[in-house]
């Protein structure tokens, strides 16, 4: 069990970019950058006995800040905040005060704004084998969100091949918060389309979205639709091959309970990724808009070449009173735990 800090020699806004390496006794290896709290590598042993990296990314840090990548930016492997997914019209109201956020294409605020938590350099607070705690202090008014928000994220790698993500946050003013992690997974040793992955998700309802993917507030039963993953199926079984999935699902569980969110497996590697979370919603995304020319080893990443299991609160929930609250107030603590567990299927 080991944690290592690696200097990259790179600085952004005067802050040093570090790589953090976590290794367990089985040889599972995770590399994280303190820029964006990015999971850069997640290397496991597949059923063939081969070491296999199951997340998309770049060979080195420079790839994440290249002009080519940022021009068509898919948030590879980063933390999303202060608010995941879309806030309709980039606007919300807390205690009678209207807050207008920065807006993306279509007029909504996407993934926290122009420069969200994914593009910030986080402080490295502590390293205890095999874990690391990162912290980012988001100042009042950043991307027009109210309040100084302090967010800590502890990554811990266990000998059960679990990568645990523990979030804690506090604020000095009432603010909107909805955090997720945006890792792109592919369990195929050949990076085949994730349509060939088998996916199961205990979610009996999905959230209606408008034409810009913003959640409207309506819950729709998955029964009889392409969104029914209750019994498990190949991801491509019912999908529109030109669209894939970019959809939020409400998990079947009491609010706040820590349970299974999804199971995804791939035949060639024999790997299964199980995701557990305290969050009420999973957003399943099959990377329709991903086009990266120079990924790891020079590989080109194409649409539907990865899947994301984004655990979070209800998108746009800050504007929908019937959804669980995403307001954090002074004296309260935001908490979230999500686990990525790797096994042989």
């Amino acid at each position: 069990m080991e944690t290592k800090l690696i200097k990259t020699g790179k600085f952004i806004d005067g802050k040093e970019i570090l790589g953090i390496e976590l290794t367990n006794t089985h040889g599972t290896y995770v590399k994280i950058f303190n820029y964006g709290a990015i999971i850069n590598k997640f290397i496991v042993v597949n059923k063939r006995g081969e070491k296999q990296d199951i997340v998309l990314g770049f060979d080195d840090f420079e790839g994440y800040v290249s002009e080519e990548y940022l021009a068509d930016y898919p948030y590879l492997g980063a933390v999303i905040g202060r608010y995941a997914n879309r806030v309709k019209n980039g606007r919300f109201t807390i205690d009678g005060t209207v807050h207008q956020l920065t807006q993306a294409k279509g007029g909504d605020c996407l993934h926290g704004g122009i420069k969200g938590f994914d593009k910030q350099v986080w402080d490295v607070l502590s390293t205890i084998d095999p874990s690391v705690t990162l912290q980012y202090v988001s100042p009042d008014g950043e991307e027009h969100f109210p309040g100084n928000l302090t967010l800590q994220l502890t990554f811990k790698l266990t000998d059960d091949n679990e990568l645990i993500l523990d979030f804690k946050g506090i604020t000095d003013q009432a603010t909107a918060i909805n955090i997720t992690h945006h890792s792109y997974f592919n369990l195929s040793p050949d990076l085949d389309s994730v349509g060939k992955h088998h996916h199961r998700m205990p979610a009996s309802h999905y959230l209606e979205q408008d034409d810009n993917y913003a959640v409207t507030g309506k819950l729709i039963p998955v029964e009889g639709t392409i969104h029914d993953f209750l019994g498990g199926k190949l991801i491509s079984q019912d999908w529109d091959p030109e669209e894939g999935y970019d959809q939020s699902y409400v998990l079947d569980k009491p609010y706040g309970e820590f349970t299974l969110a999804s199971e995804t497996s791939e035949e060639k590697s024999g790997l299964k990724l199980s995701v557990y979370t305290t969050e009420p919603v999973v957003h399943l995304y099959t990377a329709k808009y991903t086009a990266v020319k120079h990924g790891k080893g020079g590989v080109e990443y194409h649409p539907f070449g990865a899947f994301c299991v984004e655990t979070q609160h209800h998108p746009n929930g800050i504007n929908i009173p019937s959804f669980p609250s995403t307001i954090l107030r002074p004296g309260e603590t935001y908490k979230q735990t999500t686990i990525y567990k790797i096994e042989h299927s």
Side-chain angles (χ1 to χ4, degrees), residues 14 22 64 66 83 105 162 181 185 192 213 288 295 302 315 323 332 341:
L22 310 178
Y64 294 98
S66 71
Y83 210 96
K105 182 179 179 181
E162 296 173 330
H181 203 278
F185 293 98
D192 291 337
Y213 299 100
K288 173 186 175 181
H302 298 285
F323 285 171
E332 300 175 342
K341 181 178 177 64

Short mmCIF file of all heavy atoms in Angstrom, two decimals, residues 14 22 64 66 83 105 162 181 185 192 213 288 295 302 315 323 332 341:
data_model
loop_
_atom_site.label_atom_id
_atom_site.label_comp_id
_atom_site.label_asym_id
_atom_site.label_seq_id
_atom_site.Cartn_x
_atom_site.Cartn_y
_atom_site.Cartn_z
N GLY A 14 0.69 30.13 -10.49
CA GLY A 14 1.66 30.06 -9.41
C GLY A 14 1.57 28.83 -8.54
O GLY A 14 2.36 28.66 -7.60
N LEU A 22 -1.46 6.19 -6.24
CA LEU A 22 -1.94 5.27 -5.22
C LEU A 22 -1.79 3.85 -5.75
O LEU A 22 -2.22 3.55 -6.87
CB LEU A 22 -3.41 5.54 -4.89
CG LEU A 22 -3.83 6.98 -4.57
CD1 LEU A 22 -5.33 7.04 -4.32
CD2 LEU A 22 -3.06 7.51 -3.37
N TYR A 64 -4.00 17.79 -20.90
CA TYR A 64 -5.22 18.34 -20.32
C TYR A 64 -5.35 19.85 -20.48
O TYR A 64 -6.43 20.40 -20.26
CB TYR A 64 -5.29 17.99 -18.83
CG TYR A 64 -5.44 16.50 -18.57
CD1 TYR A 64 -4.34 15.72 -18.25
CD2 TYR A 64 -6.68 15.88 -18.66
CE1 TYR A 64 -4.46 14.36 -18.02
CE2 TYR A 64 -6.82 14.52 -18.43
CZ TYR A 64 -5.71 13.76 -18.11
OH TYR A 64 -5.83 12.42 -17.88
N SER A 66 -3.90 21.44 -23.36
CA SER A 66 -3.56 21.79 -24.74
C SER A 66 -4.73 22.52 -25.40
O SER A 66 -5.90 22.29 -25.07
CB SER A 66 -3.22 20.54 -25.54
OG SER A 66 -4.38 19.75 -25.77
N TYR A 83 -21.65 23.16 -9.64
CA TYR A 83 -22.94 22.53 -9.88
C TYR A 83 -22.88 21.66 -11.12
O TYR A 83 -22.67 22.16 -12.23
CB TYR A 83 -24.05 23.57 -10.03
CG TYR A 83 -25.40 23.07 -9.58
CD1 TYR A 83 -25.86 23.33 -8.30
CD2 TYR A 83 -26.20 22.31 -10.42
CE1 TYR A 83 -27.09 22.86 -7.85
CE2 TYR A 83 -27.43 21.84 -10.00
CZ TYR A 83 -27.87 22.11 -8.71
OH TYR A 83 -29.08 21.64 -8.28
N LYS A 105 -23.56 27.29 -24.35
CA LYS A 105 -24.39 27.19 -25.54
C LYS A 105 -25.79 26.71 -25.15
O LYS A 105 -25.94 25.76 -24.40
CB LYS A 105 -23.76 26.21 -26.53
CG LYS A 105 -24.51 26.06 -27.85
CD LYS A 105 -23.79 25.09 -28.76
CE LYS A 105 -24.56 24.92 -30.07
NZ LYS A 105 -23.87 23.93 -30.98
N GLU A 162 -11.18 -1.05 -4.43
CA GLU A 162 -12.17 0.02 -4.38
C GLU A 162 -11.44 1.35 -4.37
O GLU A 162 -10.54 1.57 -3.56
CB GLU A 162 -13.01 -0.07 -3.11
CG GLU A 162 -13.86 -1.31 -3.00
CD GLU A 162 -14.54 -1.41 -1.66
OE1 GLU A 162 -13.97 -0.92 -0.66
OE2 GLU A 162 -15.64 -1.99 -1.60
N HIS A 181 -18.12 13.35 -10.25
CA HIS A 181 -16.84 13.06 -10.88
C HIS A 181 -17.11 12.53 -12.28
O HIS A 181 -18.01 11.72 -12.48
CB HIS A 181 -16.01 12.06 -10.07
CG HIS A 181 -14.55 12.17 -10.37
ND1 HIS A 181 -13.97 11.57 -11.46
CD2 HIS A 181 -13.55 12.85 -9.74
CE1 HIS A 181 -12.68 11.87 -11.49
NE2 HIS A 181 -12.40 12.65 -10.46
N PHE A 185 -14.95 5.71 -18.54
CA PHE A 185 -14.49 4.33 -18.41
C PHE A 185 -14.68 3.57 -19.72
O PHE A 185 -15.65 3.77 -20.45
CB PHE A 185 -15.30 3.61 -17.32
CG PHE A 185 -15.06 4.11 -15.93
CD1 PHE A 185 -15.95 5.03 -15.35
CD2 PHE A 185 -13.98 3.69 -15.19
CE1 PHE A 185 -15.75 5.49 -14.06
CE2 PHE A 185 -13.76 4.15 -13.90
CZ PHE A 185 -14.65 5.05 -13.34
N ASP A 192 -13.06 -1.15 -27.46
CA ASP A 192 -14.25 -1.31 -28.30
C ASP A 192 -15.34 -0.35 -27.85
O ASP A 192 -15.32 0.18 -26.73
CB ASP A 192 -14.79 -2.75 -28.19
CG ASP A 192 -13.86 -3.77 -28.82
OD1 ASP A 192 -13.08 -3.38 -29.71
OD2 ASP A 192 -13.93 -4.96 -28.44
N TYR A 213 -31.00 19.24 -22.94
CA TYR A 213 -30.63 18.27 -21.90
C TYR A 213 -30.86 18.79 -20.48
O TYR A 213 -30.38 18.18 -19.51
CB TYR A 213 -29.17 17.81 -22.04
CG TYR A 213 -28.84 17.13 -23.34
CD1 TYR A 213 -28.21 17.82 -24.36
CD2 TYR A 213 -29.16 15.79 -23.57
CE1 TYR A 213 -27.89 17.20 -25.57
CE2 TYR A 213 -28.85 15.17 -24.77
CZ TYR A 213 -28.22 15.88 -25.77
OH TYR A 213 -27.92 15.27 -26.96
N LYS A 288 -21.10 10.68 -26.53
CA LYS A 288 -21.45 11.05 -27.90
C LYS A 288 -20.59 12.19 -28.43
O LYS A 288 -20.22 12.22 -29.60
CB LYS A 288 -22.93 11.45 -27.97
CG LYS A 288 -23.35 12.00 -29.32
CD LYS A 288 -24.77 12.54 -29.33
CE LYS A 288 -25.10 13.19 -30.67
NZ LYS A 288 -26.47 13.74 -30.69
N GLY A 295 -5.12 10.80 -27.42
CA GLY A 295 -5.25 10.26 -26.07
C GLY A 295 -4.02 9.44 -25.69
O GLY A 295 -2.96 9.55 -26.31
N HIS A 302 -13.11 8.23 -29.80
CA HIS A 302 -14.27 8.50 -30.64
C HIS A 302 -15.55 8.50 -29.81
O HIS A 302 -15.58 8.00 -28.68
CB HIS A 302 -14.39 7.43 -31.73
CG HIS A 302 -13.23 7.38 -32.67
ND1 HIS A 302 -13.04 8.32 -33.66
CD2 HIS A 302 -12.19 6.51 -32.76
CE1 HIS A 302 -11.94 8.02 -34.33
NE2 HIS A 302 -11.40 6.94 -33.81
N PRO A 315 -30.10 16.94 -11.43
CA PRO A 315 -29.69 18.11 -12.20
C PRO A 315 -30.80 19.15 -12.23
O PRO A 315 -31.99 18.81 -12.28
CB PRO A 315 -29.43 17.55 -13.60
CG PRO A 315 -29.11 16.11 -13.36
CD PRO A 315 -29.97 15.70 -12.20
N PHE A 323 -37.74 18.40 -5.89
CA PHE A 323 -36.53 17.57 -5.84
C PHE A 323 -35.78 17.82 -4.54
O PHE A 323 -35.93 18.88 -3.91
CB PHE A 323 -35.61 17.88 -7.02
CG PHE A 323 -36.09 17.32 -8.35
CD1 PHE A 323 -35.45 17.69 -9.53
CD2 PHE A 323 -37.13 16.42 -8.43
CE1 PHE A 323 -35.86 17.18 -10.75
CE2 PHE A 323 -37.56 15.90 -9.63
CZ PHE A 323 -36.91 16.28 -10.80
N GLU A 332 -23.86 23.90 7.97
CA GLU A 332 -24.11 22.56 7.43
C GLU A 332 -22.85 22.04 6.74
O GLU A 332 -21.95 22.80 6.39
CB GLU A 332 -25.27 22.58 6.43
CG GLU A 332 -26.59 23.05 7.01
CD GLU A 332 -27.67 23.18 5.96
OE1 GLU A 332 -27.35 23.25 4.75
OE2 GLU A 332 -28.85 23.25 6.35
N LYS A 341 -15.64 0.20 -7.69
CA LYS A 341 -15.08 -1.10 -7.30
C LYS A 341 -14.87 -1.97 -8.52
O LYS A 341 -15.80 -2.19 -9.32
CB LYS A 341 -16.01 -1.82 -6.31
CG LYS A 341 -15.48 -3.18 -5.82
CD LYS A 341 -16.44 -3.80 -4.81
CE LYS A 341 -15.99 -5.18 -4.37
NZ LYS A 341 -14.72 -5.17 -3.65
#
